[in-house]
Amino acid sequence: MRRWALAIAILAAVLFLGAEAQAVQQGHQTERISGSAGDVLEDNPVGRLKVYVYDLPSKYNKKLLKKDPRCLNHMFAAEIFMHRFLLSSAVRTFNPEEADWFYTPVYTTCDLTPSGLPLPFKSPRMMRSAIELIATNWPYWNRSEGADHFFVTPHDFGACFHYQEEKAIGRGILPLLQRATLVQTFGQKNHVCLKDGSITIPPFAPPQKMQAHLIPSDTPRSIFVYFRGLFYDTSNDPEGGYYARGARASVWENFKNNPLFDISTDHPPTYYEDMQRSVFCLCPLGWAPWSPRLVEAVVFGCIPVIIADDIVLPFADAIPWEEIGVFVAEEDVPKLDSILTSIPTDVILRKQRLLANPSMKQAMLFPQPAQAGDAFHQILNGLARKLPHGDNVFLKPGERVLNWTAGPPGDLKPW
């Protein structure tokens, strides 16, 4: 009885928070990110770097997309939209001699199953083939062995090219990419699939689709905790415990009957609207530590509850994740209700004010056409901050670092 009385009291607090959040939204109260992070978020990369885009045969990009247009809509689509953006960007140069960076447009995730899931098994051979092509036909790869090149690798575990962590770790990053800068959605501290100097980006979430589901800004946030998605992946993890390192299963087992938690495997047509009615949105790891929920939560002003130990979050030098989100250790998931209900109201309201900042939302999106401050520009900012290149970027005549025959035998087969 005491437990239900407590739940009723907390629900009343939720309604209060919803009314307060409504006042924030109606008054257009936002808060600028303080200090250097705010400056970084608003940086303009134009004029600070020049990028040369390799003109590859269409089999590496456009033909793949033509064969399966679904590649435009999945969460790995940043590689496609980054290519399109750069082709018309003010930072593009057609003179490779003046380029600071070289970009190789390879759509390694555009190989989908009938159900729309990307397969990574051909990706290493495709990437090797593209690198062999640019190394043979242009002089720029060989002078640095890729140290002034960047690649967009948005697979679950980046350039390790596998969707299961154990196998991704066993593979490691494709050897030919060891000196390149990787722009990837995967980020986890002290992990073999995240190399130093990588730029961690948000996954693709369709901006137009989200825009179409916006609800009036004065809508109260009457849901305390919200989540839609898998708790178990029985097809790939039949024994359980491996998927999401058990964190999602723990959410379900502990809170499926808790009135403060609106959680389900159902994905209703009102999914986006429901996030805008929620105070907290759970963003647990799945097979990888990241998911589009991070983007959706920020865009819809729902405080992200990040459950993924050691995650490296997108544009962490520009977005103050500690200030806008809540971090819960995977082992603390059973205490999730007490953790969230103990957060003071003024802390919650400040997180909501920060989330209401339009520049925060813009940085998480890949809009078409591109807009100032969006994810495209944040990537360019990250590349610009790496300039000028250090002395270790360019090799001495005849010097070689990379081993072209390293890697699993299957990766060495022609693509």
Side-chain angles (χ1 to χ4, degrees):
M1 191 74 179
R2 187 177 300 167
R3 176 180 161 219
W4 289 104
L6 178 62
I8 291 170
I10 293 172
L11 282 170
V14 171
L15 293 175
F16 168 74
L17 277 172
E20 290 288 305
Q22 181 179 346
V24 168
Q25 292 162 347
Q26 283 180 321
H28 303 288
Q29 296 178 35
T30 65
E31 186 168 327
R32 187 185 184 276
I33 304 159
S34 61
S36 61
D39 297 334
V40 169
L41 193 63
E42 295 166 11
D43 273 353
N44 182 358
V46 176
R48 297 168 56 211
L49 76 166
K50 293 182 179 181
V51 176
Y52 181 78
V53 180
Y54 284 116
D55 186 14
L56 299 188
S58 61
K59 70 175 186 176
Y60 293 101
N61 39 63
K62 295 176 184 177
K63 269 191 179 178
L64 295 169
L65 182 57
K66 186 176 181 180
K67 180 182 176 182
D68 197 338
R70 293 179 301 167
C71 297
L72 280 170
N73 299 312
H74 64 53
M75 60 184 174
F76 303 92
E79 63 183 358
I80 299 171
F81 290 109
M82 190 68 190
H83 182 202
R84 292 183 172 183
F85 163 72
L86 284 171
L87 290 177
S88 59
S89 171
V91 305
R92 184 186 184 188
T93 177
F94 291 90
N95 179 6
E97 293 295 334
E98 67 176 17
D100 300 297
W101 289 99
F102 294 80
Y103 167 67
T104 308
V106 187
Y107 298 172
T108 58
T109 65
C110 194
D111 180 21
L112 306 184
T113 66
S115 61
L117 297 175
L119 293 170
F121 308 116
K122 297 178 183 176
S123 301
R125 290 188 291 128
M126 185 192 309
M127 186 67 81
R128 280 184 60 92
S129 174
I131 292 172
E132 288 170 354
L133 180 70
I134 63 174
T136 302
N137 291 283
W138 289 271
Y140 307 104
W141 174 273
N142 295 320
R143 71 181 186 181
S144 69
E145 289 198 319
D148 55 352
H149 289 55
F150 71 94
F151 295 81
V152 181
T153 55
H155 273 287
D156 292 270
F157 290 93
C160 287
F161 295 127
H162 208 286
Y163 59 86
Q164 291 183 336
E165 183 173 21
E166 186 176 335
K167 294 180 179 178
I169 291 172
R171 287 188 51 83
I173 292 172
L174 187 73
L176 292 185
L177 293 175
Q178 291 293 343
R179 285 176 58 81
T181 290
L182 302 180
V183 178
Q184 59 184 57
T185 44
F186 172 74
Q188 185 172 314
K189 298 173 186 174
N190 305 313
H191 199 285
V192 299
C193 298
L194 180 69
K195 64 190 290 289
D196 288 343
S198 297
I199 296 174
T200 309
I201 65 171
F204 177 78
Q208 290 83 359
K209 183 179 178 182
M210 289 192 286
Q211 182 74 25
H213 286 264
L214 289 176
I215 60 178
S217 60
D218 58 355
T219 304
R221 292 188 179 271
S222 55
I223 301 169
F224 191 59
V225 181
Y226 187 76
F227 176 78
R228 291 294 184 272
L230 290 178
F231 298 98
Y232 305 89
D233 188 348
T234 53
S235 58
N236 293 299
D237 181 28
E239 297 181 7
Y242 185 65
Y243 176 63
R245 298 197 283 259
R248 291 195 185 202
S250 182
V251 169
W252 179 250
E253 296 301 330
N254 284 283
F255 304 111
K256 59 187 174 184
N257 295 319
N258 188 312
L260 296 178
F261 284 68
D262 188 343
I263 59 176
S264 172
T265 56
D266 296 334
H267 202 286
T270 57
Y271 173 69
Y272 285 154
E273 289 84 351
D274 292 342
M275 292 188 87
Q276 294 169 79
R277 297 186 182 99
S278 303
V279 177
F280 295 104
C281 289
L282 301 186
C283 301
L285 74 162
W287 284 112
W290 59 272
S291 82
R293 291 179 189 84
L294 278 172
V295 179
E296 295 161 349
V298 171
V299 169
F300 292 133
C302 185
I303 298 170
V305 180
I306 299 160
I307 308 169
D309 293 353
D310 296 322
I311 189 172
V312 176
L313 289 157
F315 308 134
D317 55 349
I319 296 178
W321 290 101
E322 294 283 350
E323 296 183 52
I324 66 171
V326 175
F327 289 78
V328 177
E330 293 164 27
E331 67 178 8
D332 290 337
V333 166
K335 299 183 285 186
L336 193 55
D337 54 348
S338 59
I339 290 172
L340 296 180
T341 55
S342 65
I343 300 174
T345 299
D346 61 328
V347 172
I348 292 175
L349 291 174
R350 181 170 186 269
K351 291 179 185 295
Q352 290 175 333
R353 288 196 302 272
L354 285 168
L355 285 167
N357 188 324
S359 63
M360 191 92 67
K361 305 175 190 297
Q362 190 77 331
M364 297 293 285
L365 295 173
F366 295 90
Q368 301 296 307
Q371 300 170 17
D374 61 17
F376 300 116
H377 290 83
Q378 301 305 326
I379 293 171
L380 294 182
N381 282 333
L383 292 169
R385 286 193 289 275
K386 292 176 175 289
L387 298 175
H389 291 302
D391 294 337
N392 62 337
V393 165
F394 300 106
L395 304 178
K396 298 174 184 177
E399 184 182 4
R400 291 291 175 264
V401 177
L402 299 178
N403 182 352
W404 284 75
T405 61
D411 290 0
L412 306 182
K413 296 178 181 178
W415 178 70

